[in-house]
Amino acid sequence: MCGITGIWGDTDVSLVRKMMSLVRHRGPDAEGMFVSQNGSGVLGHRRLSIMDPEGGDQPIYNETKNMAVIANGEIYNFPHLRPELIKQHKFYTTSDSEAMVHLYEDHGVSMVEHLDGMYAFVIADEGNFYAARDPIGIKPLYLGERNGSLIFASELKAFPSNCDMVQEFPPGTFFHSAQGFSTFYTVPELLSRQAPVEDYIEEIRETLETAVVKRLMSDVPLGAFLSGGLDSSLIAALARKHMDQLHTFSVGIKGSRDLEAARVVSNHLDTIHHEYIITEQEVREKLPEIIYYLESFDQDLVRSAIPCYFTSRLAADYVKVILTGEGADELFGGYSYYKDIGDSEFLHRELRRSVASLHNINLQRVDRMTMAHAIEGRVPFLDLTMIRLGQLIPTEMKIAGSPPIEKWILRKAFEDLLPKEIIWRVKEQFDEGSGTVEMLNGILTDVMGRTEIKNYRRRFPETELRSGEECHYHRILMEVFESPDFVYSNTGRWSQRP
């Protein structure tokens, strides 16, 4: 996991160095820069060392040194790619990122079709510039313009204030300086497939375990977030099957339901468990820092970012890679509002839309909060094979029973893996189970008066601020950013439902 920055169409080295400093938290282990000899551009890289910690510093070059790659993410099929690529190419590292430059030599812009992973990367090919972002948008990338030059970075805070425009680089998309943008992946629009429950149970078990095992690839310590909810508990349980020991991490207010449930799971799985008690005073003090790293004022996103921030901080003392349960709710109908959708066809479409929308909401929160503490978050539920399977499973298997139970088929698939009280635990969002929402009620009391809220909304009518709480987050964002316009113009809105 890393931070990438750069400019194409100019060789402003000082600008790129400043941008690199603003994403240093993403890669505190090393830094590197590529300056094109023909004046085409500059690439900057801040490295968090995961694969080949000693020899994998970037940029990484091809054999003739006429191509350079800087990358953020992990290529999970690297162990399968390398043996084939090494027949034609000389490898200088054992880093998975080196496969990218050789794939580009062999396949050009279609090289993304050979990648299985989460990534955002840029390749300098003499006078050409090639960039791509993974299919779901797990890893971030933004693109801007300044005086006719392209500027890119992993986070919005890195962009200079004199950019003409900054926008999110679309997921599942590549860009070539001579060809423009091209989409190579969208979440599949598939009709649900009727099959026996037992068949789906077997397929879910095999697919999810394969996705977890794939994400255990690491040359540094790896652990798992553990809220005690279904999703994180399943990921931890499947990882534990393949690891001699597993560190797990949980946070919450004193006596919170998440802390209690996580202890049950940890004891059941025999993990090395760590927990942290969040206090009201610490949340109050850290809120500006959380919003700065999150790059959002969305009320729901900030709420969920608070426990994620503290869990990431806790985990960073023990591991460099963390597994998380994001994506399960969108694939299997985990949120309460899904239960209110009476039409199965509409629910099917809404679940697909939810998965496709994760890139600038929940996935942004996971990326920013983990990277704020220089650890890498991995999301097995969002493996492409898992996403495809999720589209095929009928909605009546996802929300089933009387009263309706969310994620029913996922629970049934793993009934034997975890204690009954965990498998059938009522769904609570991270901010609810950890006690964050309850705590915020106290923190936000009288932060902004009714008249002040009304006047603040009038100042920013285009942002459609929903509450006094969201006005408060927006005001903090405006204070902590030099160029806040870039941030709130790119803010994903978790609350926007059709």
Side-chain angles (χ1 to χ4, degrees), residues 349-367:
R349 293 194 301 271
E350 173 61 5
L351 291 173
R352 178 188 176 276
R353 187 202 67 82
S354 297
V355 173
S357 300
L358 282 169
H359 56 94
N360 63 359
I361 43 175
N362 282 2
L363 289 176
Q364 178 173 324
R365 182 250 303 159
V366 171
D367 173 82

Side-chain angles (χ1 to χ4, degrees), residues 12-275:
D12 191 338
V13 172
S14 62
L15 171 65
V16 176
R17 288 199 184 279
K18 181 179 180 182
M19 295 172 71
M20 289 168 64
S21 70
L22 291 169
V23 295
R24 186 184 185 281
H25 55 279
R26 298 186 67 90
D29 296 333
E31 68 174 19
M33 181 176 284
F34 166 83
V35 182
S36 173
Q37 295 301 305
N38 61 14
S40 296
V42 182
L43 311 184
H45 189 265
R46 292 290 327 191
R47 186 180 186 216
L48 178 65
S49 306
I50 302 295
M51 300 299 296
D52 191 3
E54 298 300 321
D57 288 352
Q58 299 184 31
I60 295 176
Y61 299 86
N62 66 341
E63 301 93 327
T64 58
K65 306 294 184 182
N66 68 332
M67 293 183 190
V69 64
I70 56 171
N72 170 28
E74 299 294 337
I75 306 303
Y76 300 125
N77 63 335
F78 173 66
H80 303 290
L81 292 171
R82 183 184 168 97
E84 290 301 312
L85 289 170
I86 209 166
K87 294 176 182 178
Q88 303 293 330
H89 300 280
K90 182 177 180 179
F91 274 72
Y92 295 94
T93 76
T94 57
S95 167
D96 55 308
S97 296
E98 186 170 356
M100 297 176 181
V101 72
H102 298 312
L103 284 171
Y104 184 78
E105 288 182 288
D106 292 350
H107 303 284
V109 296
S110 65
M111 57 87 71
V112 288
E113 298 172 8
H114 300 267
L115 298 178
D116 178 9
M118 57 177 189
Y119 52 82
F121 66 87
V122 172
I123 293 176
D125 174 16
E126 296 182 335
N128 293 315
F129 167 92
Y130 177 76
R133 189 179 181 197
D134 68 69
I136 304 299
I138 300 169
K139 301 320 301 168
L141 187 61
Y142 296 90
L143 196 63
E145 294 181 11
R146 191 190 70 161
N147 300 326
S149 297
L150 294 176
I151 300 178
F152 64 90
S154 296
E155 296 186 12
L156 291 160
K157 58 179 65 66
F159 285 88
S161 58
N162 60 346
C163 275
D164 301 322
M165 167 276 299
V166 175
Q167 63 185 18
E168 183 187 14
F169 194 102
T173 299
F174 66 76
F175 173 84
H176 189 276
S177 53
Q179 301 176 31
F181 286 95
S182 182
T183 298
F184 65 88
Y185 177 90
T186 57
V187 176
E189 294 188 56
L190 303 173
L191 296 176
S192 59
R193 179 188 67 193
Q194 295 300 321
V197 170
E198 293 74 20
D199 290 358
Y200 275 124
I201 284 175
E202 182 178 355
E203 197 167 357
I204 289 170
R205 289 176 68 101
E206 292 178 357
T207 303
L208 186 57
E209 184 163 1
T210 299
V212 170
V213 171
K214 187 189 300 184
R215 284 159 180 80
L216 299 181
M217 181 182 81
S218 177
D219 290 337
V220 294
L222 178 149
F225 285 166
L226 182 59
S227 70
L230 177 69
D231 310 334
S232 64
S233 299
L234 287 178
I235 298 303
L238 291 170
R240 182 70 179 89
K241 288 177 63 177
H242 299 272
M243 299 178 68
D244 292 334
Q245 62 179 30
L246 176 68
H247 288 264
T248 52
F249 307 91
S250 180
V251 303
I253 66 171
K254 187 175 182 179
S256 68
R257 294 179 294 276
D258 275 5
L259 288 176
E260 294 173 1
R263 290 174 197 143
V264 171
V265 178
S266 174
N267 289 334
H268 181 78
L269 300 178
D270 189 25
T271 71
I272 303 170
H273 192 55
H274 313 269
E275 60 180 44

